[in-house]
Structure formats: C-alpha cells, structure tokens
Amino acid sequence: MTGREEIAQRMDADGIRFLLTQFVDLNGSPKAKMVPVEHFEDVLDEGAGFGGAALIGMGQGPHSHDMMARIDLDSYTPVPWDEGLARFASDLFVDGEPHPYCPRQHFKSLLNSARAEGYVFNVGIEP
C-alpha cells in the first residue's frame, strides 16, 4: 500500500498540477472531477463532492446529501496526454459511509468474501 507522503513526493517530482478523481456509475460509465493538487489531502480524507442526483441509478435525488469521491492512493497515474495531470480511481461515500451502489466498493466486498473462503488471487506476482 502506498502512503500519502510518497504520493505527494511523486506528484511533486512529476510536476502534477491537477488531479482527476475518477469513479464509475452503475452502468460502468467513467465520471471524474478535476481538483487542484493543493487539495490532495482533502480528496484523500474527505473526497471530491458532487451531486449524486446527477448520476442515474445511484438512488440519489435533489434532496439527498452530496456524494464524495475519495481517491485510492494505489491508483495514482500521471496521464500521458496532458502534462501536469494525474488520475486516481475513487470510491463513493455518502455521510462518511461507503455508498451501497459504488461499483468499486461492491467489487472489493466480493473479493474480500472470496478471500475469506480461501481463494487466492495472483495477478502476475510471484509468491
């Protein structure tokens, strides 16, 4: 697992000025919010806020609390097509709790259940 200080140093060395906090909706369509790198700690701890009612199928209405997209440090990727821009995959939260329809949260839950049953996942890594 990558630490916040390590990522902050890598972003500084890579000349990153903006972050894309990317998530997917229930249909798998990518969505993103661009945030200045000065707010790295904010999107890591709290998340990048957006109106969940704008996403079809997320169970949010105009009266609902904002959703927050919290970045996953292990997904840090400087994008090759725009200097100074990096992308992070994000998990969705509402009121500080994981959103029940967040595809990444659901996938993590399935993987954890499979691991608890004894399944081992090796993705090109030698044991």
Side-chain angles (χ1 to χ4, degrees):
M1 190 156 182
T2 310
R4 67 176 64 214
E5 293 301 321
E6 178 186 344
I7 293 296
Q9 290 172 359
R10 286 171 57 189
M11 287 190 302
D12 188 47
D14 293 340
I16 301 301
R17 297 183 321 272
F18 292 97
L19 311 173
L20 286 176
T21 57
Q22 184 183 20
F23 54 95
V24 295
D25 65 13
L26 283 177
N27 298 315
S29 298
K31 309 293 181 188
K33 187 162 193 177
M34 187 178 290
V35 179
V37 74
E38 293 81 16
H39 292 279
F40 167 67
E41 296 285 334
D42 296 332
V43 294
L44 180 58
D45 296 331
E46 298 296 322
F50 65 96
L55 301 176
I56 296 171
M58 295 301 280
Q60 300 285 99
H63 60 284
S64 299
H65 292 282
D66 281 353
M67 297 182 83
M68 304 298 277
R70 287 189 195 160
I71 61 174
D72 176 357
L73 290 176
D74 291 328
S75 66
Y76 171 67
T77 310
V79 299
W81 60 84
D82 195 352
E83 191 174 309
L85 181 63
R87 166 252 181 221
F88 287 94
S90 302
D91 294 313
L92 301 178
F93 288 79
V94 176
D95 292 332
E97 297 294 321
H99 190 274
Y101 300 120
C102 174
R104 278 180 51 93
Q105 290 290 335
H106 183 64
F107 185 60
K108 287 178 186 179
S109 174
L110 291 174
L111 288 176
N112 289 336
S113 294
R115 284 186 185 105
E117 292 178 17
Y119 289 94
V120 177
F121 302 97
N122 291 325
V123 185
I125 299 172
E126 293 293 323

